[in-house]
Amino acid sequence: MSKVARISVAKDFAPRPGPRYKHQGPHSGQTFRESVLAPFLDQNEMLVVDLDGTAGYGSSFIDEAFGGLVRMGYDKEDLLRRIEVISKEDPILAKDAIQAIRDADPKQNSQ
Amino acid sequence: MKKIAPLEQARIDLLRRERERKRKARARSSHARKKFSATYIETIQRAPNIRLAEDASIELALPQQFSFERNHADTQQAINQLRMAVLEARQKVTVDFRDVEYVGVAAALVLTSEIVRCLAIRTGDSKSVMGTYPQSPVANKILTDIGFYRALGVRPLESDEDNAPVADNLYIGMKSFLKADPDMISSFSEMFLAAFPHLDLVARQRLQGAIVEALSNSFEHAFQTRGDFRAFGRRAWLSGYVNTEKNEFMMMVFDHGAGIPRTIEPKLTERAWALLRGGLTPSDGDLISAATTLSRTSTDEPNRGKGFLTMKRFVDACDDGELRVFSNRGHYLYKKGNRSVAPDQNNSLGGTLIQWRITHHAGSIEVESDE
């Protein structure tokens, strides 16, 4: 397992993040979590996610992408230790992403 | 007498039960049609704005103020009359704009979607819905500018440009779509953001995100249960305007889904409150109000209903704004820190209409975080 990986949402996923779920349309938070976040987490010890450079995020995208990891079965405390979310453009957005992990209920099933 | 084997008897019993089940289903269907016929007589044949034409088609006169905000009851009644006449009674209808003096954008959007649905369902009869042009140049200019004629593929009525009223708002047209496509949403958000050329980067991103959220959530709640009337596909309609002088945009989304009140299970406290006010169940307006809080959505899962919350936060964070939701019989309005629920209408909208208006002159927008 590699030590640290860096992901740019704009470059590694989509410059225009979409809705919450796959069935709502492309570039969803669910797709980002399943196809990018989770695989990178499984292959690396630490993950740095850069939110800059996109057209903007719906709050549901952020909640499903990051909070959805807990609902998917990842341990909350382990995620908080291993994931760093950064945004120079909007630091509040990075805080929202971490808060989504903190607020997520592991007993709820993810889609 | 021939003795029937047990297995054969079971088969006979099964066929007998199946025939009985089908007979009861036909009886229910027949009863339902009769019920609509009685409602049709009340709503159509006895309505003062309905005239029977020489060819037995119906002339449906729209009210002078064809607007949900100025004339909710008559506007909604007219749209319901169109739907009932075309889809239930299978009659040809001429939508008569001649006496209309003002057209609300939202009313035009809902009417457009209803006409398109009627024509799509009555595919064998392209003349099931016809129309007349308004005599009022103001009404005609509004219909032209908002894209009503274009959306229906109708030639606009040419007006005398020298005397045509100047449009304050730049309308973005009317579009329908089947899913929250980010590229299309992005193009619409760019149109809306043109009202705020002064916004800084973060404010633009936040507003773009809010628009994506608002549009995506309209689908999440749109078609979870079957509506009262037949719908074709999971389709939603979008319209709105931009006013660069006022630094204002309004976004409107309409869908023919089951409606918010039918996707929210009332809580015990809401039922108790309804009883205190003399009703058995909470009003549609109260249920819409409940749905706009973070914890109440059709999925009833925390953090799922962020669309309304996002829109309300921007209403609070910007210089001015409002969130207006019409769903079935309910009407909910949110302005800065204040909410109001109107008494339920007699007629159902047959879906959900969301109007979100923002006015903002500063370069930044400070929105509360989700903590």
Side-chain angles (χ1 to χ4, degrees):
Chain A
M1 187 184 269
S2 307
K3 283 207 168 173
V4 182
R6 301 184 76 90
I7 299 173
S8 162
V9 177
K11 294 173 188 169
D12 298 321
F13 181 64
R16 290 174 180 157
R20 179 187 285 271
Y21 297 120
K22 280 183 196 175
H23 68 259
Q24 293 176 295
H27 313 309
S28 67
Q30 179 186 2
T31 302
F32 177 63
R33 166 169 51 80
E34 291 175 353
S35 64
V36 179
L37 276 184
F40 268 84
L41 271 173
D42 292 342
Q43 294 164 16
N44 298 276
E45 287 180 15
M46 302 290 292
L47 187 59
V48 179
V49 183
D50 186 351
L51 302 179
D52 288 344
T54 70
Y57 297 87
S59 52
S60 287
F61 178 98
I62 295 292
D63 180 69
E64 189 59 35
F66 294 95
L69 288 170
V70 176
R71 294 187 285 271
M72 205 171 163
Y74 287 86
D75 179 77
K76 189 181 293 192
E77 294 307 317
D78 191 48
L79 286 173
L80 292 171
R81 181 181 61 81
R82 294 171 60 198
I83 290 181
E84 181 183 356
V85 183
I86 60 175
S87 174
K88 290 179 185 173
E89 291 170 354
D90 193 349
I92 292 178
L93 194 60
K95 286 174 62 179
D96 286 347
I98 296 300
Q99 194 64 38
I101 295 175
R102 289 202 177 98
D103 291 343
D105 184 352
K107 293 175 187 171
Q108 287 178 4
N109 293 326
S110 67
Q111 282 215 1
Chain B
M1 184 170 154
K2 183 182 175 183
K3 209 171 178 183
I4 302 174
L7 195 59
E8 179 66 17
Q9 184 63 52
R11 193 181 75 82
I12 291 171
D13 289 343
L14 184 65
L15 287 172
R16 189 178 296 137
R17 284 197 296 273
E18 185 63 16
R19 277 198 299 270
E20 181 64 17
R21 185 190 67 77
K22 287 180 179 176
R23 185 192 67 76
K24 285 180 178 176
R26 283 195 300 271
R28 279 196 301 271
S29 174
S30 172
H31 172 73
R33 284 198 296 273
K34 287 177 185 171
K35 182 181 169 187
F36 282 130
S37 294
T39 306
Y40 172 81
I41 290 170
E42 282 297 319
T43 307
I44 302 293
Q45 292 185 357
R46 293 179 183 167
N49 64 323
I50 299 283
R51 193 177 75 86
L52 194 63
E54 288 176 359
D55 62 352
S57 67
I58 285 175
E59 286 189 2
L60 166 57
L62 298 182
Q64 282 186 347
Q65 303 291 315
F66 185 63
S67 160
F68 287 120
E69 290 184 38
R70 297 187 185 190
N71 188 6
H72 191 168
D74 291 343
T75 298
Q76 195 157 294
Q77 168 81 330
I79 295 172
N80 289 356
Q81 286 169 330
L82 168 66
R83 175 175 53 240
M84 190 170 290
V86 176
L87 296 185
E88 301 300 335
R90 304 184 69 81
Q91 287 191 277
K92 295 181 196 286
V93 174
T94 297
V95 180
D96 187 2
F97 274 93
R98 283 175 294 189
D99 293 335
V100 174
E101 294 177 354
Y102 175 81
V103 179
V105 183
L109 180 68
V110 175
L111 179 64
T112 301
S113 72
E114 192 60 73
I115 292 172
V116 169
R117 178 167 72 162
C118 287
L119 291 173
I121 291 174
R122 295 281 303 276
T123 52
D125 187 356
S126 61
K127 294 185 180 179
S128 58
V129 182
M130 304 284 283
T132 62
Y133 292 103
Q135 292 176 329
S136 160
V138 171
N140 182 57
K141 181 69 174 164
I142 293 173
L143 288 174
T144 304
D145 289 349
I146 64 178
F148 175 79
Y149 298 128
R150 188 166 53 249
L152 296 176
V154 172
R155 178 181 58 82
L157 180 67
E158 290 182 7
S159 62
D160 183 351
E161 283 296 325
D162 289 338
N163 293 328
V166 177
D168 294 329
N169 301 325
L170 182 63
Y171 296 101
I172 69 167
M174 297 182 185
K175 301 284 182 188
S176 72
F177 50 104
L178 298 173
K179 61 182 179 182
D181 179 75
D183 292 330
M184 191 186 66
I185 290 172
S186 181
S187 70
F188 273 107
S189 72
E190 288 295 322
M191 290 186 207
F192 289 130
L193 289 171
F196 313 105
H198 52 283
L199 285 182
D200 60 33
L201 175 64
V202 171
R204 283 182 67 87
Q205 290 174 334
R206 287 177 177 171
L207 196 47
Q208 160 100 357
I211 293 170
V212 170
E213 187 72 25
L215 290 174
S216 303
N217 271 263
S218 74
F219 281 102
E220 189 63 20
H221 298 281
F223 291 99
Q224 291 189 340
T225 59
R226 185 177 162 81
D228 286 332
F229 307 102
R230 289 168 287 177
F232 64 113
R234 294 164 59 91
R235 187 176 295 271
W237 287 81
L238 173 69
S239 185
Y241 68 77
V242 166
N243 190 314
T244 52
E245 284 196 16
K246 292 184 189 176
N247 294 139
E248 175 176 290
F249 85 76
M250 177 182 277
M251 182 181 84
M252 276 164 264
V253 181
F254 174 71
D255 70 76
H256 280 293
I260 292 170
R262 289 177 60 176
T263 59
I264 294 288
E265 183 61 33
K267 289 183 174 176
L268 190 60
T269 49
E270 288 161 352
R271 292 183 193 278
W273 177 238
L275 280 172
L276 284 173
R277 292 187 303 177
L280 293 176
T281 56
S283 69
D284 282 3
D286 287 333
L287 291 173
I288 297 170
S289 178
T292 65
T293 62
L294 184 60
S295 61
R296 297 294 301 283
T297 73
S298 53
T299 63
D300 207 24
E301 294 176 349
N303 288 329
R304 291 297 196 267
K306 288 182 175 288
F308 285 134
L309 184 67
T310 298
M311 285 187 274
K312 286 161 75 174
R313 280 180 174 165
F314 272 82
V315 167
D316 287 335
C318 294
D319 293 342
D320 190 32
E322 66 179 38
L323 169 65
R324 198 182 287 267
V325 183
F326 301 88
S327 192
N328 293 355
R329 290 176 169 74
H331 177 196
Y332 167 87
L333 172 63
Y334 181 85
K335 292 191 166 216
K336 270 182 177 297
N338 292 307
R339 73 169 188 92
S340 65
V341 176
D344 278 2
Q345 293 288 312
N346 289 331
N347 295 304
S348 172
L349 181 65
T352 299
L353 170 68
I354 299 170
Q355 288 182 214
W356 181 39
R357 178 178 62 78
I358 294 292
T359 307
H360 195 67
H361 306 293
S364 64
I365 302 177
E366 299 300 325
V367 186
E368 287 180 15
S369 117
D370 281 357
E371 289 182 48

